[in-house]
C-alpha cells in the first residue's frame, strides 16, 4: 500500500468510528431549520452534508483543513525556491489533514507522473469532436470516456465489499488527477494550436508540467499555475460542482462519472464559466469604449449599461462570501509582484474600485465584492493564454483535487445515497394555511 493511501486508511478508520458514535449518540439533535425562503431560494445555507477537506466562512473566505490561503503559501512545500505552493501539497493536506514534508510531495509528483498515461481511445474521442466543441464539453467527454479504466467499477462488478470502496475510489482519484493535465493540454493545443502537441517534461511537478504542455515556457507562468491550481481546488461542499460530485458519487457511480458530473456543473456561467465571462466582458468593454485604458467613469457607464440590459457583472457576487474573495486577493498579490504594468490587469483593478458601489446601489445584491473569477483571466491573458473559452478547464483540473479527495472520505465514511425531499406548491399552500 502506498504511503499516502496507508495514512488515509488509518485516519479514515479513526474518523469513521467517531462519526458513527456521533450519529448514534447525538443523531436526533437539530443542526438546522429550513425556511420557505431557503426552499425556494436554492437551499442557501442549509447545513446538509459533511465535507472535511475545506470550510468557507462568509467573512474570511476559504480555509483548507483550517489553513487560510496566505498560511498555505507559507506552509506548503514549493519547488526549488519558487514562492508558490505545490498543489500536490494541498491534495495531501485535504486527504489526510496534515501538511506534507517536501519528500512526501516529491513522491506524489512522481506517483502522478507514473499514472498519467491517457488511454488512446480518449484521444480518439477528442479527435472525433468538431473543433467548435466548447473546451468544457471536450473535457467532460474525455473524462467520461475514461470510465472504462475505473478500478472502482471493475471491482464493484467483481463483487467488492463495501468496506473496500474507499480503496478503489482512492486509486481512481489518483489516476484521474494524474491524467487531467495531459487531457486539458491536449484539448488546448488541439483547439487553438493546430493540433500541435508538446511532450510532457517528466522532471517537472504536476502544475509545472501542465504549464509546459500548454506551450507557455515562461517560468513565471509555471509559478502561476502552481498558485492557480492550488487556490481553485476546493470551496467546501455546497458549491454546485462539489455538490454535484457528492450527489453523483453517492449513487456509487465511479470517480470518473461523478467528476464528469461536477464538470458539467462547473461549466455554467453563474459558477466556473464566469472566469471566461469576465474576460469576454472586459474585451467587449475595450472594444466598445475604443480604449484599453478606460477611465473609471467610462467603466461605470459600461457596467450600468450591462445591468440595464438585464445581465450580471461576471466575477462579482457570491452565494456565501460577504467580503472580497481571498482567492481574488491571492491573485492580486501575484499580479502586483509581476504584472503591475499589464493593461488588462489594471482594468481588473479599476473594476474592483468601480463595481462594488454600483452593485451595492442596486439594494439587492448580497455580496458586491469580486470572487475568484474576477482576476484569473487577466493574468492568463498577460502570459499569452488569451483563448478564454479554455479557462474553465483550468478551474476544472484544479477542482479535481478537492472533490476527489472529498469523495474518498465519503466512501470511507460510508455515506448513503443522497436523497433530499422536494415539495409541491400545493404542499406549500397547505403549510402556509396551517402555520
Ligand atoms: N451582477 C448583477 N446582479 C447580481 C450579481 C452580479 N454580479 N450578483 C448578484 N446579483 C443579483 C442576483 O442576480 C439577484 O437578482 P434577482 O433578485 O433580480 O434575481 C440578486 O442580486 C440577489 O442575488 P444574491 O443573493 O446576491 O446572489 P446569489 O446567491 O443568488 O447568486 C451568484 C450568487 C454568484 C450566482 C451571483 O452573485 C452572480 O450571478 N454573479 C455573477 C456570476 C459569477 O461571477 N459567478 C461566479 C461565482 C463564483 C464561482 O462559483 O466560481
Amino acid at each position: 500500500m502506498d504511503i499516502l493511501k496507508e495514512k488515509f486508511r488509518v485516519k479514515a478508520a479513526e474518523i469513521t468510528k467517531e462519526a458513527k458514535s456521533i450519529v448514534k449518540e447525538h443523531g436526533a439533535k437539530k443542526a438546522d431549520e429550513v425556511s420557505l425562503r431557503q426552499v425556494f431560494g436554492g437551499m442557501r445555507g442549509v447545513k446538509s452534508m459533511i465535507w472535511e477537506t475545506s470550510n468557507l466562512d462568509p467573512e474570511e473566505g476559504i480555509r483548507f483543513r483550517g489553513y487560510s490561503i496566505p498560511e498555505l503559501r507559507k506552509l506548503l512545500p514549493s519547488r526549488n525556491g519558487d514562492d508558490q505552493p505545490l498543489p500536490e501539497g494541498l491534495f495531501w493536506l485535504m486527504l489526510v489533514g496534515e501538511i506534507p514534508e517536501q519528500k512526501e510531495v516529491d513522491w506524489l509528483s512522481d506517483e502522478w507522473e507514473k499514472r498519467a498515461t491517457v488511454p488512446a481511445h480518449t484521444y480518439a474521442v477528442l479527435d472525433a469532436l468538431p473543433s467548435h466543441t466548447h473546451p468544457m464539453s471536450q473535457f467532460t467527454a474525455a473524462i467520461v470516456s475514461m470510465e472504462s479504466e475505473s478500478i472502482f467499477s471493475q471491482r464493484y462488478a467483481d463483487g467488492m465489499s463495501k468496506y473496500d470502496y474507499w480503496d478503489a475510489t482512492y486509486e481512481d482519484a489518483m489516476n484521474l488527477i494524474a491524467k487531467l493535465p495531459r487531457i486539458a493540454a491536449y484539448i488546448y493545443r488541439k483547439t487553438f494550436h493546430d493540433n500541435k502537441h508538446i511532450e510532457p517534461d517528466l522532471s517537472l511537478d504536476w502544475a509545472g508540467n501542465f504549464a509546459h504542455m500548454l506551450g507557455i515556457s515562461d517560468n513565471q507562468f509555471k509559478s502561476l499555475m502552481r498558485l492557480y491550481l492550488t487556490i481553485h481546488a476546493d470551496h467546501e461542499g455546497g458549491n454546485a460542482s462539489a455538490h454535484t460530485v457528492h450527489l453523483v458519487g453517492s449513487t456509487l457511480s465511479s470517480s470518473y462519472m461523478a467528476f464528469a458530473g461536477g464538470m458539467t456543473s462547473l461549466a455554467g456561467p453563474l459558477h466556473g464559466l464566469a472566469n471566461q465571462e469576465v474576460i469576454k466582458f472586459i474585451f467587449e468593454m475595450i472594444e466598445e469604449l475604443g480604449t484599453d485604458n478606460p477611465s473609471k467613469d467610462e467603466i461605470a457607464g459600461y457596467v450600468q449599461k450591462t445591468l440595464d440590459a438585464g445581465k450580471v457583472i461576471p466575477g462579482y457576487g457570491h452565494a456565501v462570501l460577504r467580503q472580497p474573495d481571498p482567492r481574488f486577493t491571492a491573485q492580486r498579490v501575484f499580479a502586483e509582484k509581476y504584472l503591475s504594468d499589464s493593461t488588462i490587469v489594471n482594468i481588473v483593478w479599476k473594476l474592483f474600485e468601480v463595481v462594488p458601489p454600483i452593485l451595492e446601489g442596486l439594494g439587492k445584491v448580497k455580496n458586491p465584492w469580486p470572487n475568484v473569477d474576477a482576476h484569473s483571466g487577466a493574468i492568463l491573458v498577460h502570459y499569452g493564454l488569451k483563448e478564454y473559452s479554455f479557462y474553465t478547464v483550468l478551474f476544472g483540473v484544479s477542482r479535481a483535487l478537492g472533490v476527489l479527495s472529498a469523495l474518498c472520505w465519503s466512501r470511507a465514511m460510508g455515506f448513503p445515497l443522497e436523497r433530499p425531499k422536494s415539495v409541491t406548491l400545493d404542499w406549500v399552500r397547505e403549510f402556509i394555511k396551517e402555520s
Side-chain angles (χ1 to χ4, degrees):
M1 193 174 285
D2 74 49
I3 51 170
L4 180 57
K5 191 168 163 184
E6 174 57 16
K7 244 183 205 298
F8 179 71
R9 187 188 69 75
V10 173
K11 294 255 169 196
E14 204 180 287
I15 298 289
T16 303
K17 201 167 153 214
E18 186 192 352
K20 284 212 166 99
S21 86
I22 289 174
V23 175
K24 198 170 164 203
E25 279 179 49
H26 306 284
K29 286 192 178 146
K30 294 248 183 305
D32 218 335
E33 284 182 69
V34 181
S35 67
L36 277 183
R37 182 173 292 113
Q38 289 168 305
V39 172
F40 278 90
M43 300 188 274
R44 290 290 180 284
V46 179
K47 294 190 196 76
S48 51
M49 74 179 102
I50 298 290
W51 194 269
E52 283 289 90
T53 47
S54 68
N55 193 50
L56 183 58
D57 180 84
E59 304 298 323
E60 196 193 42
I62 192 67
R63 276 185 182 267
F64 301 88
R65 293 278 186 180
Y67 295 101
S68 68
I69 291 174
E71 285 165 354
L72 288 182
R73 288 175 89 164
K74 287 198 198 109
L75 293 172
L76 286 181
S78 55
R79 190 184 157 91
N80 302 340
D82 187 8
D83 59 354
Q84 302 304 332
L86 288 169
E88 285 89 331
L90 180 66
F91 179 74
W92 185 289
L93 172 68
M94 287 191 292
L95 193 68
V96 294
E98 289 170 14
I99 301 272
E101 291 175 22
Q102 187 73 48
K103 66 174 190 300
E104 292 170 325
V105 156
D106 292 344
W107 169 84
L108 190 51
S109 294
D110 289 348
E111 186 63 25
W112 284 349
E113 197 46 64
K114 281 185 210 148
R115 295 170 183 253
T117 306
V118 174
H121 72 260
T122 295
Y123 291 125
V125 165
L126 289 172
D127 290 342
L129 295 170
S131 58
H132 64 268
T133 309
H134 191 282
M136 274 307 273
S137 310
Q138 298 191 46
F139 191 52
T140 309
I143 295 159
V144 170
S145 80
M146 292 194 300
E147 153 69 18
S148 57
E149 312 307 298
S150 168
I151 289 171
F152 185 92
S153 298
Q154 285 155 25
R155 289 192 194 161
Y156 193 88
D158 293 343
M160 168 171 54
S161 154
K162 66 179 180 180
Y163 301 110
D164 296 330
Y165 289 170
W166 69 270
D167 184 309
T169 302
Y170 172 89
E171 293 299 331
D172 278 354
M174 292 282 280
N175 288 337
L176 181 48
I177 290 168
K179 294 172 197 335
L180 290 175
R182 293 212 185 166
I183 290 167
Y186 189 87
I187 292 168
Y188 179 68
R189 302 290 307 177
K190 167 183 170 282
T191 312
F192 304 111
H193 290 272
D194 300 326
N195 225 353
K196 292 195 180 107
H197 299 285
I198 297 169
E199 283 298 310
D201 178 345
L202 305 187
S203 70
L204 284 168
D205 51 292
W206 186 69
N209 187 30
F210 184 28
H212 159 79
M213 289 185 292
L214 288 171
I216 298 169
S217 53
D218 191 330
N219 276 338
Q220 265 177 30
F221 185 71
K222 290 190 185 71
S223 192
L224 171 70
M225 276 297 106
R226 291 174 190 128
L227 174 68
Y228 188 108
L229 297 180
T230 298
I231 63 175
H232 286 77
D234 207 32
H235 220 220
E236 75 170 29
N239 70 80
S241 53
H243 188 201
T244 309
V245 174
H246 185 76
L247 170 65
V248 178
S250 84
T251 71
L252 292 186
S253 71
S254 75
S255 298
Y256 294 86
M257 300 305 259
F259 183 61
M263 291 303 95
T264 58
S265 184
L266 194 71
L270 296 187
H271 189 20
L273 204 82
N275 62 6
Q276 80 164 42
E277 295 302 295
V278 168
I279 285 302
K280 185 163 172 271
F281 172 88
I282 292 176
F283 283 167
E284 285 171 0
M285 179 171 76
I286 290 172
E287 172 98 24
E288 185 165 321
L289 298 178
T291 171
D292 60 8
N293 186 19
S295 68
K296 286 186 204 162
D297 281 349
E298 285 174 313
I299 292 179
Y302 190 81
V303 166
Q304 192 56 56
K305 200 173 149 193
T306 306
L307 292 170
D308 292 346
K311 297 193 263 183
V312 295
I313 306 304
Y316 281 77
H318 200 272
V320 179
L321 285 169
R322 297 295 176 255
Q323 289 290 335
D325 190 334
R327 301 171 300 172
F328 174 89
T329 311
Q331 296 176 85
R332 186 175 172 137
V333 169
F334 181 95
E336 278 165 351
K337 183 166 178 190
Y338 297 114
L339 315 171
S340 56
D341 292 341
S342 153
T343 343
I344 192 136
V345 164
N346 276 283
I347 293 180
V348 167
W349 294 351
K350 276 188 197 164
L351 280 164
F352 181 38
E353 291 178 56
V354 170
V355 173
I358 297 178
L359 289 183
E360 250 168 352
L362 295 178
K364 64 174 183 178
V365 180
K366 295 192 191 67
N367 176 42
W369 299 110
N371 58 56
V372 64
D373 301 315
H375 211 314
S376 53
I379 304 183
L380 296 169
V381 167
H382 176 85
Y383 288 106
L385 213 160
K386 298 192 171 80
E387 302 88 353
Y388 53 74
S389 65
F390 183 71
Y391 290 175
T392 314
V393 175
L394 294 175
F395 195 156
V397 171
S398 173
R399 191 41 63 102
L401 303 178
V403 297
L404 292 175
S405 47
L407 190 62
C408 289
W409 276 99
S410 300
R411 293 278 163 83
M413 293 175 83
F415 289 152
L417 180 74
E418 193 173 88
R419 191 9 175 135
K421 176 81 184 105
S422 62
V423 291
T424 61
L425 275 178
D426 272 346
W427 180 90
V428 174
R429 289 182 194 110
E430 280 303 309
F431 173 73
I432 293 168
K433 265 193 243 159
E434 285 163 17
S435 53

